[in-house]
Amino acid sequence: MSINKDSHDARMTRRSLLKGVGALGIMAALGRLLPSYVLAGTTKAEAGYPSELRGKTIDLRIAELPFRIGELTGMAKTINGTLPGPLIRLKEGDNVTLNVTNRLMEDTSIHWHGLLLPPNMDGVPGVSFGGIKPASTFTYHYPIRQSGTYWYHSHSGFQEQSGIYGPLIIDPIEPEPFHYDQDYIVVLSDWTFESPESVFANLKKQSGYYNFQKRAAPEFFSDVSRMGLLPALQNYLMWDRMRMDPTDLADVTGYTYTYLMNGLAPEQNWTGLFRPGERVRLRFIAATAMTFYDVRLPGLTMTVVQADGQNVQPVVVEEFRIGPAETYDVIVQPNEDRAYTIFAETMDRSGYARGTLAPRAGMTAPLPDRRPRPLRTMASMGMPMEGMDMADMKKPDHHGVPHLEPPGMNKATKHATESIHDKHDMSDRPPDELRQSKIPGSTPVRHPPGHHGSGNQTVAEYSRQRLTEPGIGLANTGTRVLVYTDLKSLTPYPDQRKPEREIELHLTGHMTRYMWSFDGKKYSEAKEPIVFRNGERLRLTFVNDTMMEHPLHLHGMWMHLENGAGAFLPRKHTVIVKPAERVSVAITADAPGRWAFHCHLLFHMEAGMFRVVEVTGTEPEARS
């Protein structure tokens, strides 16, 4: 783990520390920074989640308190005095009231991520309400119409980066289709002792400010040895002409971030306890501002049973990538009387979050070897000049999948995926025609003329769906990695209509100027909403013109990821779109009102990758 020892703007001086703690007393405040559920491994059995909030009426207080990691202490924005905030546990079918009191000196808000609720309860200042003023209380009141693993966070400025987030679990009315003996929440996040405002300002001045993994002379000579002098020179010159860097994997890195698991740094080693042979449910929540994690538990396979709070047909994997705002529920069954490391490595390999599953508190397991940071290639960014001849692409098969070796699907992964599928008894499943359909974007689409103005630095020459790829850095790991085409809903959803119309939205940006936008326009330049007609079924197609992954989040409605699963498309509230990718989702527009739609990379959203979606028309019948 790396912490920027030189950053100090949010670190506390003795004077500011005493001022911040005030009458609470420093020791009392520091002792309450973590909720008891966070210390689950050492206290859960005895304490029974005492910080868990249940019931139909819940009170939350947002305030600022010191937060300490090792010898460093900074100021965090907390909920009920903890980071992450307390576990909120609700029941499907209830009507709940949540009173949020603001004890900050600035406006705040709470957004209930992934929940279907009235638009004025969604908690997005400027879209669904006016925000919560200092020294005031806002009351959220809404019915719970779903179940699963979710989370909540501030939607005001950079407060999410400063600590205002927490887990939200909704227990179902009906029994779940899988069983388990232990149930743990694993909140992944990222923390910096710099102020988020300073981080954003640094990125605006120099987008690569935190990238200390650029190619250096030794790597050049290694490339010369591998590729030959002229090809290596051409490669480096090509990237330089484009003013891009193949190591641009994360805007903010381990140089300033400490990567947290349940609010604890890797050295603090959050631990969950089990008895050998028990089935352990791990609810992974990516409450990260800017970090993609690759999650694995060496020595254990994981059975994915939920994605974004929705039941999916079980799929066995050894690793999965989770983007900001996504959730995955997995079940593991450790049979040996030993410890297992929960290893969440960042996509750019600049750091990791770490925890442990163990039969007894205090046990540890070896950390896996750190993997080298990958490099982006022209091919993976939709540029056909480097090893990707579109003319040689064969016709798509009956699923709409072209016979092009996906860059991220190595033989080991393909074999593993086939083996996983072979393990499931398909005898009671519907015929293939109900399970599979053409995936939109399977045939590469050439980018049309126009570059969306100065807000778009460059565009991929071709875009195509990349749902079968695990993502950069995961192609040759030898592990079975979850891909989006693995996700299939457990049951078909009622609305099986084909989309009536399609809206294509380009994800655009200018890396050098750190500008992020849709269709080349920042939110401040495109205030007009994207209009959905109430009751319509439409297709929203995202085309990523940039070289970065973007987790796109739609409020208020589900996105049915069109991944070829036919009647079993998985429902997602957040969808990762890879560089040069074309991803389509089907949406039933049945939630009249104004809703936020944005990239869930916090600094991308604040830089302009944000829109309002407005569903117009009369109220439809209640949704399922």
Side-chain angles (χ1 to χ4, degrees):
M1 267 314 304
S2 56
I3 300 175
N4 176 18
K5 302 297 183 185
D6 298 324
S7 64
H8 56 78
D9 58 342
R11 222 183 293 170
M12 300 188 66
T13 63
R14 175 181 173 80
R15 183 176 181 181
S16 64
L17 176 66
L18 292 173
K19 181 180 177 182
V21 174
L24 294 175
I26 183 170
M27 295 309 296
L30 291 176
R32 296 178 57 204
L33 290 180
L34 295 173
S36 297
Y37 83 88
V38 161
L39 306 174
T42 55
T43 64
K44 173 181 178 289
E46 298 81 14
Y49 289 108
S51 68
E52 179 178 310
L53 301 177
R54 286 177 181 262
K56 297 182 180 179
T57 301
I58 288 173
D59 297 324
L60 300 175
R61 302 176 308 281
I62 298 177
E64 197 167 36
L65 285 172
F67 180 65
R68 185 175 59 198
I69 297 176
E71 297 178 352
L72 299 178
T73 301
M75 291 301 291
K77 293 180 172 63
T78 63
I79 305 171
N80 288 11
T82 69
L83 185 163
L87 165 62
I88 297 177
R89 193 140 201 160
L90 306 176
K91 179 74 175 179
E92 183 182 9
D94 282 351
N95 286 289
V96 297
T97 299
L98 300 110
N99 303 306
V100 180
T101 298
N102 182 7
R103 294 181 178 171
L104 302 175
M105 300 297 290
E106 61 194 48
D107 287 11
T108 190
S109 59
I110 291 292
H111 163 60
W112 314 97
H113 188 101
L115 265 58
L116 306 177
L117 36 63
N120 60 340
M121 295 289 108
D122 195 41
V124 181
V127 177
S128 51
F129 79 142
I132 307 173
K133 301 296 181 186
S136 69
T137 298
F138 184 85
T139 298
Y140 295 85
H141 183 75
Y142 51 82
I144 303 297
R145 305 153 77 175
Q146 61 202 100
S147 64
T149 300
Y150 302 93
W151 63 299
Y152 59 97
H153 61 85
S154 171
H155 226 291
S156 299
F158 300 117
Q159 292 178 358
E160 179 191 321
Q161 175 74 91
S162 298
I164 303 182
Y165 56 84
L168 170 61
I169 306 301
I170 303 176
D171 293 316
I173 296 176
E174 300 291 334
E176 292 183 299
F178 44 84
H179 72 275
Y180 49 90
D181 306 297
Q182 297 284 353
D183 185 1
Y184 290 119
I185 296 158
V186 184
V187 179
L188 301 170
S189 59
D190 41 32
W191 168 264
T192 173
F193 283 98
E194 293 186 89
S195 72
E197 290 78 9
S198 295
V199 174
F200 189 64
N202 291 335
L203 292 172
K204 291 293 287 185
K205 293 171 187 171
Q206 184 181 352
S207 61
Y209 184 89
Y210 295 100
N211 183 1
F212 288 83
Q213 301 190 103
K214 295 182 179 180
R215 295 187 292 185
E219 191 164 1
F220 172 72
F221 290 116
S222 174
D223 290 338
V224 169
S225 175
R226 179 174 55 88
M227 304 165 61
L229 178 60
L230 185 58
L233 276 175
Q234 289 174 331
N235 180 275
Y236 278 66
L237 289 172
M238 180 173 56
W239 283 101
D240 185 64
R241 282 195 298 270
M242 295 174 65
R243 296 185 178 180
M244 291 183 174
D245 193 296
T247 66
D248 266 334
L249 303 163
D251 295 342
V252 190
T253 69
Y255 175 73
T256 189
Y257 272 158
T258 299
Y259 299 106
L260 305 180
M261 183 175 291
N262 285 337
L264 298 177
E267 297 78 12
Q268 296 170 284
N269 191 25
W270 173 84
T271 301
L273 301 182
F274 68 90
R275 296 183 182 88
E278 285 185 328
R279 291 168 60 86
V280 181
R281 178 178 188 171
L282 298 172
R283 302 175 185 257
F284 286 94
I285 299 171
T288 58
M290 292 294 289
T291 304
F292 291 78
Y293 282 109
D294 295 334
V295 178
R296 55 192 157 126
L297 287 80
L300 292 175
T301 57
M302 300 177 280
T303 302
V304 180
V305 295
Q306 281 192 358
D308 287 3
Q310 300 296 289
N311 291 330
V312 296
Q313 296 174 29
V315 54
V316 179
V317 300
E318 294 171 298
E319 188 165 6
F320 63 87
R321 173 161 293 169
I322 186 168
E326 287 190 305
T327 73
Y328 284 108
D329 286 33
V330 307
I331 292 177
V332 299
Q333 189 168 17
N335 291 313
E336 298 181 48
D337 185 35
R338 69 176 181 90
Y340 298 85
T341 295
I342 306 171
F343 198 64
E345 191 174 24
T346 64
M347 184 175 73
D348 71 324
R349 309 300 183 231
S350 68
Y352 59 87
R354 171 262 194 128
T356 298
L357 281 183
R360 293 171 294 282
M363 297 179 70
T364 60
L367 290 174
D369 293 336
R370 301 282 299 280
R371 298 179 292 200
R373 62 102 173 89
L375 286 175
R376 298 198 188 277
T377 66
M378 287 291 110
S380 65
M381 293 169 54
M383 305 298 184
M385 68 283 284
E386 186 183 296
M388 185 177 182
D389 187 351
M390 297 294 181
D392 290 340
M393 185 173 290
K394 297 178 181 179
K395 293 181 180 180
D397 62 18
H398 65 286
H399 299 152
V401 180
H403 295 281
L404 177 67
E405 184 76 6
M409 182 70 88
N410 58 10
K411 290 182 179 179
T413 306
K414 285 200 301 181
H415 175 73
T417 303
E418 290 164 358
S419 299
I420 291 167
H421 292 165
D422 289 344
K423 290 180 180 177
H424 294 293
D425 180 5
M426 305 296 286
S427 59
D428 59 345
R429 300 286 170 80
D432 282 350
E433 58 267 27
L434 290 178
R435 300 183 54 80
Q436 297 175 326
S437 61
K438 177 180 172 60
I439 305 177
S442 296
T443 302
V445 177
R446 182 183 288 274
H447 197 285
H451 297 271
H452 302 294
S454 59
N456 204 24
Q457 187 175 15
T458 186
V459 297
E461 189 168 346
Y462 289 90
S463 61
R464 61 184 175 87
Q465 67 88 6
R466 304 177 63 188
L467 302 176
T468 57
E469 301 176 29
I472 188 168
L474 294 177
N476 298 300
T477 60
T479 57
R480 287 174 281 175
V481 183
L482 182 75
V483 296
Y484 268 178
T485 46
D486 289 332
L487 299 177
K488 300 177 179 63
S489 69
L490 197 61
T491 57
Y493 293 104
D495 192 352
Q496 294 291 332
R497 291 176 296 165
K498 293 183 179 179
E500 304 164 15
R501 67 182 178 115
E502 179 173 355
I503 298 174
E504 185 171 300
L505 203 60
H506 286 245
L507 322 183
T508 50
H510 196 295
M511 300 283 291
T512 306
R513 300 163 64 187
Y514 205 73
M515 294 168 55
W516 299 100
S517 56
F518 289 114
D519 287 344
K521 293 184 178 180
K522 297 182 295 184
Y523 179 51
S524 59
E525 300 167 334
K527 288 285 190 178
E528 68 281 4
I530 299 170
V531 176
F532 294 175
R533 296 190 292 269
N534 186 28
E536 75 171 334
R537 182 79 165 170
L538 78 156
R539 172 176 292 141
L540 197 54
T541 294
F542 311 124
V543 182
N544 189 351
D545 289 352
T546 78
M547 65 180 294
M548 307 295 286
E549 289 77 6
H550 299 283
L552 300 181
H553 173 46
L554 175 64
H555 293 220
M557 290 159 280
W558 289 113
M559 296 185 285
H560 294 234
L561 179 64
E562 294 193 291
N563 65 348
F568 295 82
L569 299 182
R571 298 200 296 194
K572 298 268 294 169
H573 51 60
T574 306
V575 173
I576 296 174
V577 186
K578 302 180 186 74
E581 187 170 30
R582 173 177 287 266
V583 172
S584 292
V585 296
I587 297 169
T588 298
D590 58 358
R594 290 164 56 83
W595 302 97
F597 169 72
H598 59 92
C599 175
H600 222 285
L601 290 169
L602 181 62
F603 296 125
H604 288 193
M605 179 180 73
E606 289 297 319
M609 195 174 268
F610 185 99
R611 283 288 188 281
V612 171
V613 166
E614 183 167 358
V615 181
T616 62
T618 57
E619 183 75 27
E621 295 181 357
R623 287 174 286 170
S624 59

